[in-house]
């Protein structure tokens, strides 16, 4: 029930939920198609991920490759991918956050 004793308009709620579902699907599709970059070692290692977190590319500058120190290279790769994933999470929050907040604004629902 809505405060004040009235009943929610179920048709309006259904339409609002369907619109939000469509908006969410569109935002998820946009995230899957958008790429963000992360880097480490002053740009010696660069990672590209989609907004949904899928690793799409990794570029390693030859200067970062030392056959006697592969551990540092591995650390740079992990750091670049982590940096790119943080950028993807920020993008997700920017795109999906407003949609999730809209759920709390639907009258008659206990959110």
């Amino acid at each position: 029930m809505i405060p004040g004793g009235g009943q929610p308009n179920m048709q309006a709620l259904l339409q609002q939920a369907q619109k939000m579902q469509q908006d969410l699907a569109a935002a998820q599709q946009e995230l899957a198609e958008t790429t963000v970059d992360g880097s480490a070692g002053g740009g010696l290692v660069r990672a590209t991920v989609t907004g949904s977190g899928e690793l799409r590319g990794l570029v390693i500058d030859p200067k970062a490759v030392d056959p006697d120190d592969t551990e540092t290279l591995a650390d740079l790769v992990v750091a670049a991918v982590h940096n790119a994933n943080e950028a993807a999470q920020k993008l997700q929050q920017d795109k999906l956050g407003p949609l999730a907040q809209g759920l709390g604004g639907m009258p008659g629902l206990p959110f």
Side-chain angles (χ1 to χ4, degrees), residues 39-106:
S39 65
L44 291 175
V45 178
R46 295 186 316 272
T48 301
V49 299
T50 65
S52 57
E54 179 185 346
L55 181 64
R56 286 285 176 96
L58 187 63
V59 177
I60 300 172
D61 187 303
K63 295 178 210 162
V65 181
D66 178 356
D68 296 326
D69 188 14
T70 58
E71 199 170 295
T72 297
L73 177 57
D75 289 344
L76 290 173
V77 169
V78 169
V81 171
H82 178 74
N83 185 281
N85 278 327
E86 284 181 337
Q89 288 175 351
K90 170 80 170 87
L91 183 63
Q92 289 172 9
Q93 290 172 349
D94 292 347
K95 292 286 181 191
L96 301 178
L99 294 174
Q101 290 172 358
L103 290 173
M106 293 179 66

Side-chain angles (χ1 to χ4, degrees), residues 18-32:
Q18 288 173 337
K19 168 93 170 76
M20 290 177 66
Q21 209 171 24
Q22 291 169 348
D23 292 347
L24 180 59
Q28 288 172 327
Q29 181 64 34
E30 185 178 343
L31 285 171

